């Protein structure tokens, strides 16, 4: 029986073209309307070195990378060992490896692959014979994979044509030969891969993008016309994309000298009346702590995308972790209101970023979009039709309000109309100092209390209007998972598998962390028996933060561990199964 | 129908129109009074529309200045006037942007921003009120405090050499660099007018005495040291400025350096104009096309 869901992994060195091959297959899948998730990993070398690409293609909706792969392609066993534990073949995986690899097969140990089909392939040989250069071995591999696993044949070929179409005719011809040679070679193999042949109906093409790109497009969509940023992995793609597209959209972008300056500049841009954004990762957000306070005090709408990586300090620059929650929620001195959103996948990066602009404009607060590397840099297919989102603009003063303009006028919502430079009669001199309604510096404790109340009142509005969360699984369940960010994907996948086994489990995934959708959480808590937190940070930052907001049951289980490795479906299942067995034991004891 | 006849002779804005009704917190005799007065006059001379003008500062005594100017203003946080000013000017180039602050604000905590705003040749005027001390925090050493001086934080004398802000500005790439004195109103107004009219990053270092922490004499001492640049001084020659940097015995005021180069905004505008060709009224739909498989 063919499959509707296939995960492939390819491992090689810099020159092997693993990443290109993965990208071509992803594009081919998207062209046929398949759902695709692609994740790349690199060794520590800045350039060259080993790389891996894991690609899941499915005719069904998918929400996470499959943690065990159906098909593994290894150009070089030495490179593969560097990804041990990260690329895990299924027990019955099909493993294609370079026949001329010097490492004897006996030395290759893949404990999970107990029942695998091992196929030696002379990738280099086939490529050299068919095209005259071993450089085409990734194209040969595409041919082999397309043939063996019914990966969108026609589209893969089109991808090859597109890739080399702009080069000399001979180059295209050679690569097409390589592709054909791969298919031909696959035909000579006497292995049965029918269970792994992808079966699907061709649908309309989908878009393929990363979470970072989704944030960048969302900014353009929301009307952002000024961006200032400082490069940092794993967020730089936001800067890169906007450096091309913001000027086209009539906006302006600058690379600042540091993150203090980046946030300072966008505070300036937004003060001047232009929607503005910056993006960074943990080390940059640390530097921005000072300016966050200024944005909150002067009430300037600002949007900050933080693509989390492993910390503290320089930490694990290329790998994901969910450990900036404390900083985002509590960072900066004084009583400082701010909004923190947490997108859960690539598509949600778009929505969270537009929401961030909307909320920033509606409340004149800094809004942090707490993304993470696992969604920021993973490439996923997205339905274009889903990328629509209403845009809200700033509340500027009307003629009546300008007649006696007070920048920080007390209002029922705490939000005061904000005039922009260029407006006659709307002049004010704003401040990082505490100030009165007219923006004049004021240091009386009475004014300080009054203005603090005004600034914090704005959070009530957000909590009311934006109780953003996702409830996964059944309405009532024995076990209720609480997780956030990129963990939603693996949890959603695990839930499907657990439900199939009859396990009663659901999940609550907040998409806004500050102000937290407390009402929704309390309702959710009432719908489950045992709460289980799954977090990719060492201390359980979400759990401890929520303990300051609601009374969590004493028997709440917290599984928090450092990042560097994304939450996997298997891990989620194991955690839930361990909780189930403990719960049974406990009930037995009680009986 | 009656018609109002305007008197064409009077300019629209008088210096007093730029004075806000907030009373300065400065000590009596503080040099910064002279700076803000010069600013009112310079703004009037240039007929800057208050609502199209933004004065930005960091934190310090001197950074209180935006509050005293009837225009848009932003008294931000210590050392960060230039990042904020950068954002305002780049996002809305049609605004007149003036950044102000103290020597600690601009050279110590904000030193990195000074370097980069100069290097970018950002189209703003930056007025640094140099009192050779930290005024607001009550008398600690600043980067401009002369070596050996006793201050609150250098009990045994300042062990560090000081810097000349103009020397920094010239080497960082500012395209207009001048030194003024807050006690010499006429020249200061002229310098401000020239700095605010300059196309590119204009840096004006104003010696502005702190009577409270540098003593009553700072004013007199500075006045006595005052010199003007010689007749025929070639301000377009970077090297010509060298003898007037790191001065100790004298205090030379005037425009030390001036160059005409494209500002950051010119460059950005050029790129933007080209980039927009073929993308007029760009929609999200159109941007999303990039993510469609291209074959
Ligand atoms: C981050 C930070 N550090 C320290 C301070 C305290 N502080 C305020 S103003 C100032 C220095 C003031 O000196 P200067 O910038 O020369 O301005 P002046 O008061 O002399 O005009 C300092 C250290 C602060 N406000 N913020
Ligand atoms: S302390 Fe010095 S700088 Fe500050 S207001 Fe008084 S005289 Fe001016």
């Amino acid at each position: 029986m063919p499959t509707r869901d296939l995960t492939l992994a390819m491992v090689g060195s810099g020159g092997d073209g693993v990443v290109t091959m993965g990208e071509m297959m992803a594009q081919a899948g998207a062209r046929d309307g398949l759902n695709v998730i692609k994740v790349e990993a690199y060794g520590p070398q800045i350039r060259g070195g080993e790389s891996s690409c894991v690609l899941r293609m499915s005719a069904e909706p998918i929400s996470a990378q499959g943690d065990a792969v159906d098909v593994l392609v290894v150009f070089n066993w030495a490179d593969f060992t560097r990804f041990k534990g990260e690329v895990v073949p299924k027990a019955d995986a099909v493993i294609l490896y370079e026949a001329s690899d010097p490492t004897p097969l006996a030395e290759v140990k893949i404990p999970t692959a107990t029942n695998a089909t091992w196929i030696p392939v002379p990738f280099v040989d086939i490529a050299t014979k068919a095209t005259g250069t071993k450089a085409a071995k990734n194209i040969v591999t595409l041919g082999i994979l397309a043939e063996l696993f019914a990966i969108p044949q026609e589209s893969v070929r089109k991808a090859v044509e597109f890739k080399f179409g702009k080069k000399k005719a001979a180059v295209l011809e050679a690569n097409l030969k390589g592709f054909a040679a791969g298919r031909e070679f696959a035909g000579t193999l006497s292995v049965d891969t029918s269970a792994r042949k992808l079966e699907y109906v061709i649908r309309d093409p989908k878009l393929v993008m990363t979470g970072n790109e989704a944030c960048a497009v969302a900014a353009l969509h929301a009307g952002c016309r000024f961006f200032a940023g400082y490069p940092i992995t794993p967020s730089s793609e936001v800067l890169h994309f906007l450096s091309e597209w913001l000027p086209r959209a009539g906006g302006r972008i600058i690379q600042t000298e540091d993150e203090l300056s980046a946030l300072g500049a966008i505070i300036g841009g937004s003060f001047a009346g232009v929607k503005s954004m910056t993006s960074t990762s943990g080390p940059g957000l640390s530097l921005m702590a000072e300016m966050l306070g200024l944005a909150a005090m002067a009430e300037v709408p600002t949007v900050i995308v933080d693509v989390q990586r492993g910390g503290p300090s320089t930490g694990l620059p290329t790998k994901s972790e969910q450990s900036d929650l404390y900083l985002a929620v509590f960072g900066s001195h004084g009583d400082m209101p701010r909004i923190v959103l947490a997108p859960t996948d690539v598509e949600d990066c778009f929505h969270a970023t537009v929401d961030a602009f909307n909320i920033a404009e509606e409340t004149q607060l800094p809004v942090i979009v707490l993304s993470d590397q696992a969604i920021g840099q993973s490439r996923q297919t997205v339905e274009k039709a889903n990328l629509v989102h209403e845009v809200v603009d700033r509340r500027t003063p009307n003629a009546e309000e300008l007649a006696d303009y007070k920048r920080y006028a007390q209002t029922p919502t705490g939000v005061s109309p904000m005039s922009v430079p260029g407006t006659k009669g709307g002049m004010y001199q704003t401040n990082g100092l505490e100030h009165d309604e007219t923006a004049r510096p004021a240091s009386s404790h009475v004014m300080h209390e009054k203005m603090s109340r005004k600034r914090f009142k704005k959070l009530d509005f957000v909590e009311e209007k934006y109780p953003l969360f996702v409830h996964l699984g059944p309405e009532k369940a024995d076990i209720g998972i609480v997780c956030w960010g990129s963990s939603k994907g693996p949890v959603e996948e695990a839930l499907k598998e657990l439900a199939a086994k009859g396990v009663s489990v659901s999940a609550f995934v907040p998409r806004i962390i500050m102000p937290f959708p407390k009402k929704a959480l309390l309702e959710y808590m009432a719908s489950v028996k045992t709460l289980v937190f799954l977090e990719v940070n060492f201390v359980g930052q979400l759990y401890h933060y929520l303990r300051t907001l609601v009374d969590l049951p004493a028997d709440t289980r917290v599984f928090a561990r450092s990042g560097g490795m994304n939450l996997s479906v298997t891990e989620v299942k194991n955690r839930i199964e361990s909780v189930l067995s403990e719960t049974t034991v406990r009930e037995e004891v009680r009986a | 129908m009656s018609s109002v006849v305007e008197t064409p002779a009077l300019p629209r804005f008088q210096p007093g129109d730029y004075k806000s009704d907030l009373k300065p917190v400065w000590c009596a005799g503080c040099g910064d009074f002279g700076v803000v007065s010069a600013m009112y006059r310079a703004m009037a001379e240039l007929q800057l529309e208050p609502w199209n003008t933004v004065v930005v500062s960091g934190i310090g005594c001197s950074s209180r200045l935006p509050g005293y100017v009837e225009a848009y203003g932003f008294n931000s946080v210590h050392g960060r006037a230039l990042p904020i000013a950068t954002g305002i000017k780049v996002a809305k180039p049609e605004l007149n942007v003036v950044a102000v602050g103290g020597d600690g604000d601009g050279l110590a905590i904000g030193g990195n921003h000074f370097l980069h705003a100069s290097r970018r040749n950002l189209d703003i005027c930056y007025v640094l009120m140099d009192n050779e001390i930290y005024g607001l925090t009550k008398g600690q050493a600043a980067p401009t405090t002369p070596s050996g001086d006793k201050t609150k934080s250098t009990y045994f004398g300042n062990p560090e050499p000081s810097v000349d802000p103009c020397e920094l500005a010239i080497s960082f790439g500012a395209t207009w660099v001048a030194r003024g004195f807050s006690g010499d109103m006429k020249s200061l107004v002229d310098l401000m007018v020239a700095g605010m009219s300059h196309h590119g990053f204009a840096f004006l270092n104003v010696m502005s005495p702190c009577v409270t922490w540098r003593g009553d004499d700072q004013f007199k001492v500075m006045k006595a040291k005052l010199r003007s640049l010689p007749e025929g001084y070639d301000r377009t020659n970077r090297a010509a400025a060298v003898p007037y940097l790191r001065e100790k015995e004298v205090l030379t005021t005037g425009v030390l350096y001036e160059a005409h180069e494209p500002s950051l905004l010119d460059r950005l505008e050029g790129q933007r104009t080209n980039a927009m060709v073929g993308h007029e009224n760009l929609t999200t739909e159109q941007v999303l096309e990039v993510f469609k498989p291209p074959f």
Side-chain angles (χ1 to χ4, degrees):
Chain A
M1 220 179 67
T3 181
R4 295 176 61 76
D5 187 355
L6 186 73
T7 301
L8 305 111
M10 293 145 281
V11 180
S13 304
D16 290 336
V18 161
V19 170
T20 310
M21 179 165 77
E23 185 54 27
M24 288 165 80
M25 272 197 280
Q27 297 278 359
R31 181 177 183 267
D32 282 1
L34 284 169
N35 296 296
V36 176
I37 298 182
K38 181 170 71 101
V39 175
E40 289 155 13
Y42 300 90
Q45 296 89 337
I46 306 298
R47 218 197 143 110
E50 64 279 6
S51 54
S52 79
C53 174
V54 179
L55 180 75
R56 182 176 180 191
M57 302 174 112
S58 174
E60 309 293 341
I62 48 174
S63 35
Q65 190 55 273
D67 25 298
V69 307
D70 298 289
V71 179
L72 172 66
V73 177
V74 178
F75 288 127
N76 183 334
W77 285 117
D79 290 329
F80 177 75
T81 52
R82 300 204 178 94
F83 291 105
K84 241 192 188 140
E86 290 178 38
V87 176
V88 183
K90 284 185 181 161
D92 61 346
V94 179
I95 301 173
L96 300 139
Y97 60 98
E98 173 58 54
S100 67
D101 193 287
T103 311
L105 209 51
E107 278 177 25
V108 178
K109 296 198 177 66
I110 309 182
T112 55
T114 48
N115 194 20
T117 309
W118 297 73
I119 310 175
V121 182
F123 294 111
V124 176
D125 229 42
I126 303 174
T128 319
K129 281 201 187 110
T131 72
T133 159
K134 65 177 184 179
K137 71 182 176 183
N138 57 344
I139 305 301
V140 168
T141 312
L142 278 180
I144 297 174
L145 297 175
E147 189 67 21
L148 289 181
F149 307 107
I151 292 166
Q153 298 259 3
E154 178 58 21
S155 289
V156 176
R157 217 178 66 89
K158 279 234 149 50
V160 176
E161 283 171 9
F162 178 79
K163 171 106 186 130
F164 301 102
K166 288 190 205 103
K167 307 223 166 122
K168 279 195 224 119
V171 177
L172 171 63
E173 203 182 314
N175 278 286
L176 285 174
K177 268 192 199 150
F179 183 66
R183 291 182 61 181
E184 202 176 303
F185 172 82
T188 67
L189 291 171
S190 55
V191 288
D192 177 17
T193 55
S194 58
R196 290 230 148 81
K197 281 201 195 292
L198 203 54
E199 189 186 67
Y200 64 98
V201 180
I202 293 182
R203 295 190 192 284
D204 286 343
K206 289 197 165 72
L207 308 178
V208 195
M209 59 172 76
T210 63
N212 286 345
E213 288 166 339
C215 287
V217 181
L220 291 172
H221 177 75
C224 170
R225 291 298 177 267
F226 179 55
F227 182 96
Y230 189 80
I232 184 167
T233 305
S235 79
S236 297
E237 293 82 8
V238 181
L239 168 71
H240 301 169
F241 188 86
L242 289 175
S243 99
E244 180 178 351
W245 284 94
L246 202 48
R248 284 188 182 147
R252 296 181 180 86
I253 179 164
I254 52 169
Q255 180 177 323
T256 50
E257 56 273 24
D258 57 32
E259 289 86 348
L260 285 162
S261 187
L263 184 49
I266 71 154
I267 290 173
S270 182
F271 168 82
V274 177
K275 288 189 185 179
S276 307
M277 179 172 99
T278 183
S279 67
T280 188
S281 186
L285 190 64
S286 286
L287 289 188
M288 288 177 185
E290 172 189 75
M291 286 288 177
L292 280 176
L294 178 62
M297 189 59 139
E299 304 194 43
V300 182
T302 34
V303 175
I304 301 120
V305 173
D306 173 31
V307 188
Q308 298 168 95
R309 65 191 218 180
S313 188
T314 309
L316 286 74
T318 59
K319 294 184 167 177
S320 204
E321 192 165 80
Q322 304 182 311
S323 51
D324 292 352
L325 186 141
Y326 280 176
L327 175 61
V329 169
F330 300 119
S332 202
H333 60 281
D335 292 318
M336 197 220 114
R338 86 287 305 278
I339 308 293
V340 181
L341 301 174
T344 56
D345 55 33
V346 169
E347 187 183 307
D348 202 28
C349 283
F350 178 87
H351 296 297
T353 307
V354 183
D355 273 334
F357 275 98
N358 289 349
I359 299 174
E361 293 297 338
E362 284 173 298
T363 62
Q364 300 167 17
L365 281 169
V367 182
I368 298 168
V369 177
L370 211 47
S371 174
D372 60 41
Q373 185 276 337
I375 46 181
Q377 291 189 324
S378 103
R379 207 166 266 284
Q380 299 182 6
T381 39
V382 176
E383 269 325 330
K384 189 174 169 187
N386 293 348
L387 300 185
V388 286
H389 200 122
E390 196 201 336
V391 173
V392 181
D393 288 321
R394 188 171 303 180
R395 169 82 164 77
T396 48
N398 56 33
E400 198 183 313
E401 286 156 346
L402 282 177
D404 177 25
Y405 184 58
K406 291 199 177 91
R407 168 63 186 99
Y408 300 107
Q410 292 285 353
T411 64
T413 56
V415 180
S416 332
M418 181 174 179
S419 91
V420 299
T423 313
K424 255 188 186 177
M427 284 182 295
Y428 64 99
Q429 296 84 41
T430 195
N431 253 292
L433 289 159
E434 185 58 283
H435 41 253
D436 63 16
E437 285 187 277
T438 63
R440 296 284 157 85
S443 59
S444 93
H445 66 283
V446 180
M447 186 57 72
H448 187 35
E449 176 75 20
K450 205 169 143 188
M451 292 314 257
S452 295
R453 180 163 298 135
K454 167 194 177 342
R455 290 189 288 269
F456 273 91
K457 211 186 295 172
K458 301 190 283 188
L459 293 179
D460 298 342
F461 161 82
V462 180
E463 192 169 341
E464 184 71 27
K465 182 169 171 191
Y466 293 92
L468 308 173
F469 69 96
V470 192
H471 179 141
L472 302 171
E475 246 171 61
K476 282 189 182 300
D478 290 345
I479 296 192
I481 298 174
V482 180
C483 68
W484 62 289
S486 62
S487 298
K488 181 200 140 226
V491 165
E492 192 168 19
E493 294 280 337
L495 247 53
K496 280 186 230 161
E497 295 184 27
L498 289 164
K501 281 195 192 169
V503 179
S504 168
V505 50
S506 66
F508 180 85
V509 190
R511 294 174 56 238
I512 184 165
I513 306 289
M514 175 67 139
F516 200 84
K518 284 193 288 288
K519 227 173 95 202
L521 177 65
L522 290 171
E523 276 166 23
Y524 178 72
M525 281 161 58
S527 79
V528 297
K529 288 184 191 153
T530 309
L531 269 190
V532 178
F533 278 74
L534 294 178
E535 292 194 58
V536 186
N537 60 62
F538 187 73
V539 299
Q541 297 190 3
L542 180 65
Y543 167 73
H544 286 287
Y545 163 57
L546 289 186
R547 280 192 63 180
T548 68
L549 301 176
V550 292
D551 289 327
L552 294 174
D555 65 351
T556 298
R557 298 297 316 269
V558 182
F559 293 106
R561 54 106 174 135
S562 292
M565 173 88 164
N566 300 341
L567 193 67
S568 75
V569 181
T570 313
E571 189 181 355
V572 178
K573 287 191 301 190
N574 289 345
R575 296 296 196 200
I576 299 309
E577 271 155 15
S578 79
V579 173
L580 278 173
S581 57
E582 278 172 36
T583 317
T584 342
V585 172
R586 224 180 296 156
E587 269 162 19
E588 274 165 14
V589 173
R590 265 190 227 137
Chain B
M1 258 182 68
S2 68
S3 66
V4 182
V5 182
E6 281 189 49
T7 4
L10 268 185
R12 197 145 68 117
F13 302 108
Q14 300 296 322
D17 294 335
Y18 297 99
K19 191 171 186 293
S20 78
D21 51 16
L22 188 62
K23 196 174 161 290
V25 290
W26 294 322
C27 311
C30 174
D32 297 347
F33 280 107
V35 180
V36 77
S37 297
M39 194 168 286
Y40 300 147
R41 294 189 201 185
M43 289 171 85
E45 195 149 320
L46 294 167
Q47 287 292 294
L48 297 185
E49 289 171 329
W51 54 89
N52 280 320
T53 304
V54 189
V55 186
V56 188
S57 68
I59 289 290
C61 297
S62 42
S63 287
R64 286 285 188 132
L65 189 143
Y68 311 139
V69 180
E70 190 63 10
Y72 280 87
F74 203 140
N75 178 186
S76 71
V77 286
H78 194 34
R80 314 297 172 212
L82 288 172
I84 308 268
T86 304
I88 295 172
K89 188 67 189 179
V90 174
K92 262 228 182 133
E94 60 271 32
L95 296 172
N96 312 305
V97 181
V98 180
V100 301
D103 41 71
D105 192 76
L107 305 176
I109 192 163
N112 196 30
H113 308 310
F114 181 32
L115 154 58
H116 293 281
S118 306
R119 171 178 72 82
R120 292 183 183 115
N121 200 21
L122 179 71
D123 206 349
I124 65 167
C125 178
Y126 179 34
V127 179
L128 191 131
M129 286 164 258
D130 185 352
N131 54 12
E132 304 181 329
I133 197 82
Y134 282 13
L136 188 75
T137 44
K138 303 191 190 298
Q140 302 83 358
T144 47
T145 303
S147 204
D149 279 18
K150 272 184 115 172
T151 71
K152 281 258 194 79
S153 61
T154 55
Y155 187 83
F156 296 106
N158 181 13
E160 300 181 13
S162 61
V163 291
D164 179 341
C166 292
E167 181 179 5
L168 293 181
I170 293 173
S171 63
F172 290 164
T175 51
W176 187 93
V177 179
R179 193 184 291 123
F181 175 50
S182 77
D184 183 1
M185 183 58 62
K186 198 190 158 304
S187 324
L188 189 56
V189 174
D190 291 346
L191 289 174
M192 276 196 191
V193 168
M196 288 183 195
S197 323
H198 175 72
H199 185 77
F201 191 74
F203 176 68
L204 175 57
N205 194 54
V206 186
M207 301 311 296
S208 181
C210 168
V211 291
T212 304
W213 304 109
R214 295 291 289 167
D216 285 336
D217 318 342
Q218 198 188 11
F219 220 98
K220 275 184 247 150
V221 172
M222 280 183 180
K223 198 156 187 168
K225 287 190 190 174
L226 220 55
R227 299 282 185 285
S228 294
L229 283 165
E231 235 5 79
Y233 174 78
D234 180 10
R235 62 169 74 156
T236 63
N237 180 357
R238 220 176 253 261
V242 174
Y244 306 100
L245 305 172
R246 305 193 188 194
E247 289 172 332
K248 285 204 169 65
E249 308 310 321
V250 294
L251 180 64
T252 308
T253 59
V255 182
L256 295 168
Y257 180 64
E258 181 169 12
H260 294 277
E261 277 161 35
S263 71
L264 175 69
L265 286 169
D266 296 332
R267 295 174 203 266
L268 283 178
E269 203 46 35
Q271 293 182 347
R272 180 169 162 272
T273 311
N274 288 336
M276 282 165 74
V277 174
H279 296 283
E280 294 79 8
N281 306 316
L282 190 67
T283 63
T284 307
E285 282 270 326
Q286 289 165 348
V287 180
L288 288 174
E289 286 297 305
V290 185
F291 300 104
K292 256 204 189 141
F295 45 85

